Amino acid sequence: IMRDTASVADTHLYGYPQYQTYANSHANEFFELDTWYHTAFYTNNNRPDAASFNRKFKRMYGREMGARYPRYGLLGFDIGYWFLNGLSHRLHAPAETVFAGMTTYRCSTIQTGFNFNRVSPTGGYTNAGIYVVHMRADGQIFKVDFAW
């Protein structure tokens, strides 16, 4: 079959979070179509922090992390890292105000983005963190941390 590459040159695909489950098996097509998708969790395993975490996980537990989304080992790490790092920046704050600034606090995580919004003055917080992943036609992958 001959493929008319000129017909896809100006084509862009925007997809759903489930697209990341097909990113390995259909990488060539996603790159060719300049694919974008949104997701609450994404890991580029080529990043040094992700590669290091994967090596340490395998050494600690004697196996690879499951290929499920989200990867729960990373989710637990990101949650713990975000909260403990946030606490370390506010060690001398009164206990009731430790997370009062959590709507403006930012911390680099591996898989899950956190951007908390206060629900109400007497309520809790919701996480509005989301990523937009761009699989560019030149073969590069970019993860954009998008907060709404």
Side-chain angles (χ1 to χ4, degrees):
I1 266 182
M2 290 289 293
R3 189 171 202 164
D4 181 6
T5 55
S7 66
V8 296
D10 292 324
T11 303
H12 306 280
L13 176 64
Y14 189 87
Y16 296 98
Q18 295 86 343
Y19 277 34
Q20 70 181 309
T21 62
Y22 306 111
N24 289 333
S25 58
H26 295 287
N28 291 337
E29 292 87 355
F30 284 172
F31 286 126
E32 182 180 7
L33 294 172
D34 192 54
T35 302
W36 298 74
Y37 59 88
H38 64 281
T39 181
F41 42 84
Y42 175 80
T43 305
N44 181 345
N45 289 312
N46 295 323
R47 281 185 41 191
D49 57 353
S52 174
F53 183 88
N54 288 332
R55 279 192 307 276
K56 289 175 183 176
F57 185 94
K58 185 173 182 177
R59 187 172 49 238
M60 175 73 97
Y61 298 105
R63 63 180 177 81
E64 302 283 337
M65 231 181 318
R68 296 173 189 86
Y69 298 98
R71 296 174 75 192
Y72 289 107
L74 277 170
L75 179 61
F77 174 82
D78 283 347
I79 291 169
Y81 183 75
W82 192 91
F83 278 101
L84 292 174
N85 197 27
L87 282 171
S88 74
H89 284 87
R90 300 183 54 85
L91 286 177
H92 302 293
E96 63 276 1
T97 66
V98 167
F99 285 106
M102 69 191 312
T103 57
T104 58
Y105 173 69
R106 298 291 177 262
C107 176
S108 181
T109 54
I110 299 174
Q111 173 188 250
T112 309
F114 297 108
N115 179 39
F116 289 100
N117 294 323
R118 185 86 189 218
V119 176
S120 72
T122 59
Y125 295 85
T126 59
N127 183 15
I130 191 167
Y131 296 125
V132 176
V133 178
H134 183 194
M135 297 179 73
R136 290 184 7 173
D138 63 4
Q140 295 185 38
I141 300 175
F142 290 93
K143 176 177 79 171
V144 180
D145 194 351
F146 181 75
W148 51 277

